[in-house]
C-alpha cells in the first residue's frame, strides 16, 4: 500500500536531484518489482511513516552478485523532499546497519551520486562510514558531469568497538 508514495518520492529525486542517475522515473509496477528483487535476494527494505504517510524508505542490495561478495551490501536511502532535515535518513540507515550486522554482513557500501550531495555524505559519515573514493565524471545529468562518492562502513562488532562507532 506504500508504493504510490514510494514511487512519488523516488520520482521527485529522479526529476530534481543528482543523487540518482536515472532520468525517467520508473512506474509503480517497476518500483514494486525492484522491492520484490530486494526481498527475494534476502535483503532488507524499510519504510518510515507517520500519520501523514511515507516519509522515506531505505534498502540494502547485494553489492555484487558473485558469491565472494556475499558479506557486502550497498545501502540506498530516499527521503520525501518535505521531510528532509528531520533525521529520517539517519534513522533508516541506522536501522539498516543493525539489520545487516545481525544478519552477518561485514561491510556496507554507499555509492552516492554527486560529490556535492552533502546530505547523504554527512548522514553516512555520522553513522561511521569512511570516504573510500570518488569516481570522477561518470554520470551526466542536467547538462553536467557528476561524480560518484564511495563510502564504506565495517559492520563487524570488533571494528565498531575499535573505531568508537556503534551504529546506533
Amino acid at each position: 500500500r506504500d508504493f504510490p508514495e514510494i514511487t512519488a518520492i523516488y520520482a521527485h529525486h529522479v526529476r530534481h536531484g543528482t543523487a540518482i542517475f536515472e532520468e525517467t522515473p520508473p512506474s509503480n509496477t517497476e518500483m514494486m518489482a525492484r522491492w520484490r528483487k530486494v526481498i527475494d535476494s534476502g535483503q532488507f527494505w524499510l519504510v518510515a511513516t507517520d500519520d501523514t504517510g511515507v516519509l522515506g524508505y531505505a534498502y540494502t542490495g547485494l553489492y555484487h552478485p558473485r558469491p565472494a561478495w556475499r558479506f557486502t551490501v550497498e545501502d540506498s536511502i530516499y527521503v520525501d523532499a518535505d521531510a528532509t532535515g528531520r533525521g529520517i535518513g539517519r534513522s533508516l540507515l541506522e536501522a539498516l546497519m543493525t539489520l545487516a550486522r545481525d544478519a552477518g554482513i561485514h561491510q556496507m557500501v554507499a555509492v552516492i551520486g554527486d560529490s556535492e550531495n552533502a546530505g547523504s555524505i554527512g548522514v553516512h559519515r555520522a553513522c561511521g562510514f569512511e570516504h573510500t573514493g570518488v569516481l570522477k565524471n561518470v554520470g551526466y545529468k542536467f547538462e553536467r558531469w557528476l561524480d560518484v562518492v564511495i563510502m564504506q562502513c565495517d559492520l563487524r562488532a570488533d571494528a565498531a568497538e575499535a573505531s568508537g562507532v556503534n551504529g546506533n
Side-chain angles (χ1 to χ4, degrees):
R1 70 177 184 253
D2 295 330
F3 276 97
E5 290 175 276
I6 287 169
T7 301
I9 289 169
Y10 191 81
H12 174 84
H13 287 287
V14 170
R15 288 187 185 109
H16 302 286
T18 53
I20 301 169
F21 286 6
E22 281 190 78
E23 295 178 328
T24 303
S27 68
N28 193 58
T29 301
E30 171 61 22
M31 290 301 290
M32 290 177 74
R34 292 178 186 190
W35 166 78
R36 173 56 51 202
K37 183 178 178 181
V38 168
I39 298 307
D40 287 349
S41 69
Q43 295 300 310
F44 306 103
W45 186 294
L46 303 175
V47 179
T49 63
D50 69 5
D51 58 349
T52 67
V54 176
L55 301 173
Y57 68 99
Y59 59 91
T60 59
L62 299 173
Y63 182 69
H64 200 285
R66 292 190 178 125
W69 296 83
R70 68 188 172 277
F71 298 108
T72 302
V73 296
E74 178 181 344
D75 74 89
S76 296
I77 308 163
Y78 303 99
V79 176
D80 184 90
D82 294 330
T84 59
R86 294 171 37 191
I88 295 160
R90 182 174 179 157
S91 293
L92 286 165
L93 180 55
E94 288 173 343
L96 280 180
M97 292 171 72
T98 298
L99 288 168
R101 184 181 296 114
D102 291 349
I105 298 299
H106 287 200
Q107 302 291 326
M108 187 174 283
V109 176
V111 180
I112 301 169
D114 195 354
S115 57
E116 295 178 16
N117 188 342
S120 187
I121 292 168
V123 164
H124 283 87
R125 185 177 295 119
C127 288
F129 282 70
E130 295 179 2
H131 178 96
T132 55
V134 176
L135 303 173
K136 295 190 176 283
N137 298 312
V138 294
Y140 189 78
K141 187 175 178 182
F142 301 136
E143 305 300 319
R144 69 182 186 111
W145 288 102
L146 299 166
D147 299 340
V148 168
V149 175
I150 310 294
M151 298 182 78
Q152 180 178 347
C153 185
D154 192 331
L155 298 177
R156 294 172 295 176
D158 56 340
E161 290 167 15
S163 69
V165 175
N166 65 15
N168 294 322

